Amino acid sequence: MTMTRVVVGAAVVRGGRLLAARRSAPAELAGRWELPGGKVEAGETPRQALVRELREELGVEAEPLARVPGEWPVGSGLVLRVWTARLLSGEPTALEDHDRLCWVTPQEAGALDWLDQDRPAVDHVVRELSG
């Protein structure tokens, strides 16, 4: 039986805008946009992983809020689960795996080249922001 490993993503929202992160690595993903996050490590919950990943990747403290419905395959044995999140402290900075961050409106989000697995969660959050 193959174990599925969870990858967490954060739909960080502030002032009606969504935080988008542009990948700088690996080469096949560079230049595409994603929701920041990463793999859940042994001994941590997905929410704990999300907090850790946002601290490591963006230098911020954040609080996971609601889980976005659904999950999406990322690769062999990996599945993406996304939570909305709010910043508690710090200003996001591209520290690891990204070369650019930007806050996008729901209208602007549609124009970005999102990673395929992130697109359904982004679409869900954009619908929520659009009210």
Side-chain angles (χ1 to χ4, degrees):
M1 184 169 138
T2 304
M3 289 290 293
T4 299
R5 188 163 179 201
V6 175
V7 176
V8 293
V12 182
V13 175
R14 179 173 74 186
R17 294 176 181 257
L18 175 66
L19 182 64
R22 190 171 67 183
R23 294 287 310 197
S24 57
E28 63 271 14
L29 301 179
R32 297 191 71 194
W33 295 86
E34 71 173 357
L35 299 171
K39 294 180 186 84
V40 176
E41 299 296 339
E44 66 183 357
T45 68
R47 287 175 174 266
Q48 290 168 333
L50 199 64
V51 169
R52 176 185 52 76
E53 287 286 348
L54 293 176
R55 187 180 304 126
E56 291 173 0
E57 288 187 6
L58 306 178
V60 297
E61 293 299 321
E63 175 186 25
L65 300 172
R67 169 103 183 270
V68 173
E71 61 181 35
W72 304 275
V74 177
S76 181
L78 298 172
V79 63
L80 174 66
R81 296 180 185 159
V82 175
W83 279 258
T84 57
R86 71 179 181 99
L87 294 178
L88 298 175
S89 66
E91 187 60 32
T93 304
L95 301 175
E96 288 185 9
D97 302 325
H98 304 106
D99 63 0
R100 185 169 172 217
L101 302 174
C102 63
W103 293 98
V104 295
T105 66
Q107 297 78 18
E108 294 165 336
L112 296 181
D113 182 18
W114 293 96
L115 295 178
D116 296 341
Q117 65 268 15
D118 287 43
R119 175 60 73 180
V122 169
D123 290 346
H124 176 85
V125 172
V126 162
R127 281 191 306 274
E128 293 287 316
L129 287 174
S130 297

